[in-house]
Amino acid sequence: MTDITVIESTDGGFDNVNPASSNNISDRASTGTTGNKSRTWASIVRRKFTVSLGSPRLETVYRGYYRRQKRGCLLCVVLIAILYELRILVMDCVSFTLDRVPTIVLSALLLCVHTVLFALCKSGKCSKKFEERVLPYLVWGLLTAQALTYSGLQRQRLTPTHLLEWQLFLVFVVLSCLPLSLLSLLLLTGATAVGHAVLCGTMAQAQTEYLGLQLVSNGLLYACAGALGMIFYLLVDRKYRKSFLDTRSSLEVKVHLQEQTQHQEQLLMSILPRHVAEDMRRGMSRKDTEDRQFQQMYIKRHENVSILFADIVGFTAISTTVSAQELVKILNELFASFDKLADINNQLRIKILGDCYYCICGVPVPRKDHAVCSINMGLDMVDAIAQVREKTRSPVDMRVGIHTGAVLAGVLGQKRWQFDVWSTDVTLANQMESGGMPGRVHISKATHDCLNGEFELEQGNGASRNDYLKSRGIKTFLIKRRTEKRDDGKKPTARLCFQRLAIRALRNEQEINNLVRKTLEEQDYKAIDGKVNPVTLRFKDVELERKFGKEREKQSAVCLVAFAVILVFCFLVQITVIARTIMAVVAFVICLVGIVSMVIVTSATVFHTNFPVMLVRVSTWLDGNRYIRNTWTLVAVTMAIAGILINTLSCDVTGPLVISPPLDRLDLSCPYTQYFVFAIVLVLSGLTMQMHISHVTNFLTMCVITTVTCPVSFVLENGGLGTSRSLNQNFTGNSTDSSDPVPPAAQLCVSLSVITICLLLICRQMESATRLLFLWKMETTKQREEVGQIRKQNEDLVNNILPPHVSTHFIGVKRKDEELYSQSYEEVGVLFASIPNFSDFYTEESVNNSGIECLRFLNEIIYDFDALLSKPKFRSITKIKTIGSCYMAASGLNPDDNMAHSPDRLVRLQHLADLADFALALKEALMNINYQSFNNFLLRIGIHQGSVVAGVIGARKPHYDIWGNTVNVASRMESTGQPGQIQVVEETSHLLKEFGFKLEQRGVVKVKGKGELMTYFLKGREKPEVSNISLPNVVG
């Protein structure tokens, strides 16, 4: 099997996929001083029309695919054998004599054999091994044996051209249809041709004058049929290889997309509950054209939920003795262990706020034992912190509070989504933690009522330690111990452990090849049934047919070369056994030049870099329209037939053949005009190769050619134009068989008609296969687009949860839970903006749909805040998270920002000025919301700048945050500020003044953990900039 090589590129040409072979070709083309141009063109043609698989293993997979693709053609060959035998039976019965009985019996026997084979294969009763390895050789052997045996039995009537039309046709069919290697097919067809030549050369008893010239002409015709079959084989093989590589490429892309999608999905589902993520994905894919009064919100109410808050007692003491990075590392290891405990205890982690960890049980899937699971989680956390206490030898402990009630769970805003819960019960659970005791699990009466004696309890007296609990009369309890041994059963695996299949193993070539083999074996070869018109094979879906019609056939130039090949060989036959006239030469030259010119024009779209631009445009126009391509092909067919027919019709079939110089215009004798019919068989075969035209067009064209050829053959039989000698006479005028009731012309017409029907079957099979490949391609493309769409949605979701440079760190690599991702920044701005009076607005009354409508309004506020971040002005600002009604953002965290590395300090700190402008824009956006909703919400904002550590806690359930003294001071600036004001410390005020901001001194403020600090209120810019920032939902 010849190793073939090239993939079609999207620009209309082809790209070599084998660099080594490309370099070798280039090296050979550059050597020597002569023949460089021809060698260059040879290398170009080799690159353009060969397709290499590049791997012996992949070649093995392809051969199996090729044999399955050729199964339909193999059945066509069996059906052709049946028609061939029927033709012989009918003709022998019409001309019945006793000496024809052996041929009738042989044909009847083989007819039964082929009919049984066809029925068994069509019904799927034959084994796959038999069909692929035995049947092709069996069919060839039976056809060849029958042809040679039949000719041998016709000894008295045997001529050198006996059944030559069928032999030429079978050579073409065997090469183009049997699922064997090219070398095997060439050997089989060679054996067929040699066997027929030897038989006719040694046993022919009629028309044996100039037997050598006839055998030479027969050899030329066999060579032509073999060349056509070989070209057709290579074209079909290239098409299948191209389809195979496209399928493999699509599978590789699909696997790659699935791998990325799986990692994104795993990352996404580790941050958001599945039901929320799926709702958000559906919302992103939904195309709502109607204006909505409110933005999309993904929040649901859940009843009977246990909420756990846990705080590390004594963590401040640790934070003062270690660096920020070491602190993050400790938190990362601790909270990663908490995440594992959450999976074991069926908890859903909500957030990590500094050293506070909180989770819930009973969402999204309700559980009757939610309270028990939460208490077990709390006890496990206390045990886990005890191990940390032993390792660090520090007085750290865990204070856990649990309450049971209802929550509103979901996400707010449009950027940096984080799953959160809201409700008065959440607030109460938080206070249960604040009023708890170190090393103990503190539960409310509501949680106590959900227990059934699983734990031994004691009075908690939380009201004595917390004013919130005291004001509401909340009765509390402390867990002493479990009353019975805990039955963990089989510890559940990670909540979001997705199928990993063997995608990483698929990177191995053998595994990918196995996947390709399995996919190709599972392809539905009946997918075309019901989707096409059973007569015309046109798709019933008009749009699908339109797309198929636009499929550009890059092989049309090579297909047209077939007519040039036919013309050349037929001309050689003409000057061998037909008249040698100047007219033959003139007709040949004119038609050949015309066909070659058409091939050159058609080739320009493939070799677009080697032809003038105008010619490439014409070629592209021809290739781009199916009807023009059909017309173009019909013109080439007409030229080929004209070159063959003109000389034949002008010669004298009555005179003796005199061997004379090739251009003797007086030599007009041509008694062997049956070669005209043989040439037409080759033309019909060449027409079958035109895969860029429909089988309906081929059907009509072949019918016209056959209809015209039959009368012409009768004219030639009766002596040509104006003469009356018979075609069945030799040079001396003796009849071959005067008793035969069927004239030779009629026999040739019957053979030509049956051959036409057989070729139409092949055309139909080839078009059916082409349309099936197109359907597979469309299906694969659709699947790849669907996977790509899911990947894009997941990517958008993930990038809305984590900064892009952080998400890429986690996607594609399985990381340990304790693995730390962090980066240190020296100059970062941090902003906290809260709405202190939103708590007065929030109620869970029925008029507010149990609080959902209040959160809907908060969602609108945060959505408008997030929309500001999409403005180019604020590209250096990153939203960190929201905490209730508090909005947290930071500037200067983009590692790709070139300004961060500038030697100019003001350039490096430009992001701080942008953060100040962002704070002013937040106030303006809230004022606009107040104007529209008739509310009076106020922002309290704090800003600070300095060094921070940004990173992710928990590689499996990543939580992105920033830590450091800068964050603490910014938070204190917000909490100690005043509604409607932006508060900064003195150092920050000096920096902002350098950027043209106006500040007002507030005075000394006592800040927890920092002592007394001089603070300032940011009032705006000294000279207001011309703002090009369009605020969301601005009225007027």
Side-chain angles (χ1 to χ4, degrees):
M1 173 62 199
T2 308
D3 222 1
I4 311 185
T5 54
V6 177
I7 302 183
E8 191 171 348
S9 64
T10 56
D11 61 355
F14 298 80
D15 296 323
N16 196 309
V17 297
N18 191 336
S21 61
S22 175
N23 294 337
N24 292 337
I25 292 170
S26 301
D27 293 341
R28 290 194 299 269
S30 62
T31 57
T33 57
T34 61
N36 288 342
K37 185 174 181 179
S38 62
R39 291 182 181 181
T40 301
W41 273 100
S43 65
I44 292 174
V45 171
R46 189 178 296 111
R47 290 198 308 268
K48 298 292 184 180
F49 294 106
T50 56
V51 181
S52 174
L53 302 182
S55 166
R57 291 179 177 178
L58 197 59
E59 183 70 34
T60 303
V61 178
Y62 167 73
R63 294 310 306 173
Y65 167 78
Y66 178 80
R67 286 191 292 267
R68 286 191 295 275
Q69 287 291 330
K70 282 281 192 174
R71 183 178 183 275
C73 290
L74 179 59
L75 292 179
C76 277
V77 177
V78 179
L79 188 58
I80 288 171
I82 294 173
L83 293 175
Y84 174 57
E85 285 136 10
L86 283 174
R87 180 263 179 200
I88 292 177
L89 274 175
V90 171
M91 297 304 298
D92 281 352
C93 290
V94 171
S95 306
F96 180 78
T97 57
L98 290 177
D99 62 343
R100 294 183 185 269
V101 171
T103 61
I104 293 176
V105 173
L106 175 65
S107 299
L109 178 62
L110 291 178
L111 176 63
C112 294
V113 172
H114 282 122
T115 303
V116 171
L117 284 176
F118 182 81
L120 291 175
C121 294
K122 190 68 176 177
S123 61
K125 299 295 179 60
C126 288
S127 67
K128 179 181 176 182
K129 185 176 181 180
F130 175 81
E131 281 192 13
E132 293 181 353
R133 300 185 180 182
V134 178
L135 186 58
Y137 295 100
L138 179 61
V139 171
W140 169 82
L142 291 176
L143 283 172
T144 302
Q146 181 189 24
L148 297 180
T149 304
Y150 181 75
S151 296
L153 293 174
Q154 300 288 324
R155 182 168 183 177
Q156 293 182 354
R157 292 180 292 272
L158 186 64
T159 67
T161 59
H162 185 261
L163 290 182
L164 183 59
E165 70 279 5
W166 270 104
Q167 295 294 335
L168 297 175
F169 169 67
L170 291 179
V171 166
F172 175 77
V173 167
V174 167
L175 278 168
S176 58
C177 294
L178 291 187
L180 301 173
S181 68
L182 182 59
L183 179 60
S184 299
L185 294 175
L186 288 174
L187 292 175
L188 294 180
T189 52
T192 299
V194 171
H196 182 262
V198 171
L199 181 68
C200 293
T202 58
M203 300 181 63
Q205 296 186 4
Q207 295 186 2
T208 56
E209 294 78 3
Y210 298 105
L211 177 62
L213 291 178
Q214 293 187 69
L215 292 179
V216 169
S217 298
N218 293 354
L220 290 172
L221 292 177
Y222 273 122
C224 183
L228 294 179
M230 185 171 64
I231 294 174
F232 194 29
Y233 174 92
L234 293 176
L235 289 176
V236 173
D237 182 68
R238 181 191 176 279
K239 179 184 281 289
Y240 287 154
R241 284 174 178 266
K242 177 73 167 55
S243 173
F244 177 79
L245 287 178
D246 285 345
T247 301
R248 187 179 190 276
S249 175
S250 296
L251 282 174
E252 285 184 305
V253 172
K254 183 179 177 181
V255 166
H256 179 67
L257 288 175
Q258 284 178 332
E259 184 179 17
Q260 286 188 330
T261 301
Q262 184 178 355
H263 287 139
Q264 289 174 344
E265 185 97 352
Q266 187 175 2
L267 178 61
L268 177 63
M269 296 302 173
S270 70
I271 301 171
L272 296 177
R274 177 178 292 277
H275 71 285
V276 175
E278 290 176 349
D279 286 346
M280 298 176 81
R281 189 182 292 136
R282 284 192 294 268
M284 294 175 68
S285 61
R286 189 184 303 121
K287 297 180 179 178
D288 291 333
T289 56
E290 300 179 359
D291 293 335
R292 292 194 300 259
Q293 183 179 3
F294 296 103
Q295 301 294 341
Q296 183 71 36
M297 185 176 69
Y298 305 97
I299 291 180
K300 292 182 180 179
R301 183 176 177 86
H302 302 271
E303 304 286 346
N304 299 318
V305 176
S306 289
I307 310 119
L308 180 150
F309 276 81
D311 188 61
I312 303 175
V313 180
F315 187 75
T316 304
I318 296 179
S319 63
T320 58
T321 60
V322 298
S323 65
Q325 285 188 323
E326 291 174 336
L327 185 65
V328 173
K329 183 178 181 180
I330 294 173
L331 283 175
N332 180 63
E333 294 176 352
L334 182 60
F335 289 148
S337 66
F338 288 171
D339 286 341
K340 292 179 180 179
L341 294 174
D343 288 335
I344 294 173
N345 291 292
N346 303 296
Q347 302 291 307
L348 177 61
R349 188 189 78 183
I350 304 301
K351 274 186 180 179
I352 298 172
L353 301 176
D355 59 347
C356 180
Y357 185 102
Y358 68 104
C359 55
I360 60 176
C361 184
V363 175
V365 180
R367 296 182 62 95
K368 293 182 179 180
D369 61 344
H370 55 85
V372 175
C373 291
S374 294
I375 294 174
N376 282 328
M377 174 69 180
L379 294 174
D380 288 343
M381 295 175 81
V382 172
D383 293 339
I385 202 69
Q387 298 178 9
V388 175
R389 185 167 58 245
E390 292 178 4
K391 289 181 179 180
T392 60
R393 295 182 179 180
S394 57
V396 294
D397 214 328
M398 211 77 203
R399 189 171 57 218
V400 181
I402 301 174
H403 174 63
T404 300
V407 298
L408 300 174
V411 296
L412 295 178
Q414 59 172 314
K415 289 183 181 293
R416 298 294 176 267
W417 288 317
Q418 289 185 344
F419 188 71
D420 208 345
V421 290
W422 302 266
S423 72
T424 54
D425 288 320
V426 173
T427 304
L428 179 54
N430 190 12
Q431 298 300 323
M432 288 295 299
E433 178 271 314
S434 299
M437 298 178 63
R440 304 297 298 273
V441 177
H442 191 208
I443 67 171
S444 66
K445 179 68 165 55
T447 304
H448 169 272
D449 293 342
C450 296
L451 301 178
N452 292 310
E454 294 89 350
F455 303 94
E456 184 177 340
L457 309 175
E458 63 179 343
Q459 292 296 321
N461 300 318
S464 63
R465 297 183 296 272
N466 185 277
D467 293 338
Y468 184 91
L469 299 179
K470 181 178 180 180
S471 64
R472 286 163 176 76
I474 304 298
K475 187 177 181 180
T476 66
F477 301 86
L478 291 173
I479 304 295
K480 292 182 65 176
R481 62 176 181 271
R482 298 183 179 94
T483 57
E484 56 186 25
K485 185 177 180 180
R486 181 181 176 185
D487 183 14
D488 291 332
K490 183 180 178 180
K491 292 187 178 181
T493 57
R495 179 178 56 89
L496 300 165
C497 182
F498 282 79
Q499 298 178 359
R500 289 184 174 85
L501 302 174
I503 289 181
R504 280 178 290 276
L506 289 175
R507 296 194 182 100
N508 179 276
E509 179 188 357
Q510 182 61 37
E511 293 296 332
I512 294 180
N513 291 343
N514 290 338
L515 177 62
V516 172
R517 180 188 290 110
K518 181 179 179 181
T519 302
L520 293 176
E521 288 176 353
E522 293 175 352
Q523 280 182 326
D524 185 6
Y525 286 82
K526 295 183 179 181
I528 197 173
D529 295 346
K531 295 184 179 180
V532 297
N533 185 296
V535 177
T536 64
L537 291 183
R538 290 175 63 90
F539 288 114
K540 295 178 180 179
D541 187 336
V542 178
E543 180 63 21
L544 194 61
E545 180 64 28
R546 185 186 66 80
K547 291 180 179 179
F548 178 76
K550 286 187 176 181
E551 284 282 295
R552 300 175 63 190
E553 181 54 69
K554 302 299 178 189
Q555 302 169 348
S556 56
V558 183
C559 295
L560 291 179
V561 169
F563 296 118
V565 172
I566 294 170
L567 195 59
V568 170
F569 277 98
C570 288
F571 174 72
L572 295 176
V573 171
Q574 283 183 341
I575 64 175
T576 302
V577 294
I578 306 182
R580 304 173 181 180
T581 64
I582 294 178
M583 181 175 291
V585 177
V586 173
F588 167 73
V589 171
I590 292 175
C591 294
L592 183 63
V593 169
I595 293 175
V596 171
S597 300
M598 296 176 70
V599 171
I600 292 174
V601 172
T602 309
S603 301
T605 189
V606 179
F607 305 97
H608 53 85
T609 58
N610 303 94
F611 286 96
V613 176
M614 183 57 66
L615 188 60
V616 174
R617 290 178 180 174
V618 173
S619 180
T620 303
W621 175 70
L622 289 172
D623 260 356
N625 189 295
R626 182 195 303 180
Y627 301 104
I628 296 176
R629 289 200 306 264
N630 292 351
T631 305
W632 193 253
T633 303
L634 294 179
V635 172
V637 174
T638 304
M639 286 187 178
I641 294 177
I644 297 168
L645 186 61
I646 289 175
N647 188 48
T648 305
L649 292 179
S650 64
C651 68
D652 181 8
V653 300
T654 62
L657 177 62
V658 180
I659 302 303
S660 57
L663 296 182
D664 184 356
R665 62 189 321 153
L666 299 178
D667 179 15
L668 300 177
S669 60
C670 48
Y672 297 125
T673 49
Q674 63 264 43
Y675 281 93
F676 165 69
V677 178
F678 303 153
I680 294 301
V681 172
L682 296 177
V683 172
L684 293 176
S685 300
L687 190 59
T688 306
M689 298 169 57
Q690 311 305 309
M691 293 183 291
H692 54 282
I693 63 177
S694 68
H695 85 287
V696 175
T697 304
N698 267 336
F699 169 75
L700 296 175
T701 306
M702 288 182 180
C703 288
V704 171
I705 293 174
T706 304
T707 304
V708 172
T709 301
C710 289
V712 171
S713 64
F714 277 103
V715 170
L716 294 175
E717 179 184 357
N718 292 302
L721 299 177
T723 58
S724 59
R725 299 298 294 272
S726 176
L727 178 67
N728 63 2
Q729 292 178 345
N730 59 11
F731 301 126
T732 61
N734 296 324
S735 174
T736 57
D737 188 0
S738 58
S739 64
D740 197 337
V742 182
Q747 294 182 31
L748 286 175
C749 287
V750 171
S751 295
L752 190 62
S753 299
V754 176
I755 288 173
T756 300
I757 294 173
C758 295
L759 288 174
L760 288 174
L761 291 176
I762 295 175
C763 289
R764 182 179 176 86
Q765 174 61 32
M766 293 305 302
E767 181 167 352
S768 178
T770 301
R771 289 179 178 267
L772 182 60
L773 291 177
F774 174 75
L775 280 180
W776 286 349
K777 177 182 176 182
M778 297 296 293
E779 181 182 358
T780 304
T781 302
K782 181 180 178 181
Q783 291 176 352
R784 189 168 58 182
E785 289 175 350
E786 288 175 351
V787 174
Q789 184 179 6
I790 294 175
R791 175 181 173 274
K792 180 64 169 62
Q793 291 174 351
N794 284 349
E795 184 177 358
D796 292 341
L797 285 171
V798 170
N799 287 336
N800 243 340
I801 296 170
L802 298 173
H805 69 279
V806 176
S807 61
T808 54
H809 177 78
F810 290 93
I811 293 175
V813 180
K814 183 182 179 182
R815 301 186 181 277
K816 298 179 180 179
D817 294 335
E818 296 81 8
E819 185 174 346
L820 178 65
Y821 169 78
S822 64
Q823 286 183 322
S824 298
Y825 298 87
E826 295 301 323
E827 297 173 326
V828 171
V830 182
L831 174 146
F832 283 86
S834 69
I835 307 174
N837 56 341
F838 182 80
S839 58
D840 299 331
F841 174 79
Y842 178 82
T843 62
E844 295 185 358
E845 298 175 357
S846 58
V847 67
N848 288 324
N849 194 12
S850 300
I852 289 182
E853 297 308 318
C854 297
L855 290 184
R856 191 183 304 279
F857 196 84
L858 180 60
N859 182 61
E860 294 294 310
I861 295 174
I862 296 176
Y863 197 99
D864 283 1
F865 289 177
D866 289 344
L868 293 173
L869 294 175
S870 301
K871 308 301 178 183
K873 167 76 174 175
F874 303 130
R875 63 180 177 274
S876 63
I877 300 173
T878 301
K879 177 183 176 182
I880 304 300
K881 59 187 173 184
T882 57
I883 310 164
S885 62
C886 183
Y887 193 93
M888 180 182 178
S891 62
L893 293 177
N894 187 357
D896 300 324
D897 190 355
N898 295 327
M899 297 175 64
H901 308 289
S902 173
D904 190 334
R905 182 168 178 266
L906 290 181
V907 173
R908 294 199 311 271
L909 290 176
Q910 176 60 43
H911 65 82
L912 182 62
D914 295 337
L915 188 64
D917 284 328
F918 180 67
L920 296 172
L922 291 179
K923 291 181 61 178
E924 188 174 349
L926 187 59
M927 287 175 58
N928 181 59
I929 293 174
N930 286 335
Y931 179 82
Q932 295 183 43
S933 61
F934 304 102
N935 279 300
N936 188 30
F937 292 115
L938 294 174
L939 271 181
R940 188 174 64 200
I941 301 176
I943 298 177
H944 192 56
Q945 98 293 333
S947 61
V948 302
V949 174
V952 172
I953 289 179
R956 186 165 52 86
K957 294 184 176 182
H959 170 83
Y960 182 77
D961 211 337
I962 56 177
W963 299 269
N965 181 65
T966 303
V967 179
N968 296 334
V969 174
S971 176
R972 299 305 181 192
M973 288 296 99
E974 179 274 318
S975 60
T976 60
Q978 295 180 359
Q981 300 292 346
I982 304 171
Q983 185 172 237
V984 299
V985 298
E986 188 172 12
E987 179 187 359
T988 306
S989 69
H990 293 327
L991 291 173
L992 293 177
K993 284 179 182 179
E994 294 184 50
F995 286 100
F997 286 95
K998 181 170 62 176
L999 293 104
E1000 177 184 288
Q1001 182 176 337
R1002 178 192 181 186
V1004 176
V1005 175
K1006 189 174 182 180
V1007 178
K1008 181 181 178 181
K1010 301 298 176 184
E1012 295 183 344
L1013 298 177
M1014 179 63 70
T1015 62
Y1016 293 78
F1017 289 142
L1018 173 64
K1019 293 298 184 180
R1021 285 187 174 270
E1022 295 286 354
K1023 294 181 180 179
E1025 293 181 332
V1026 178
S1027 177
N1028 58 356
I1029 300 172
S1030 57
L1031 293 172
N1033 300 325
V1034 173
V1035 177

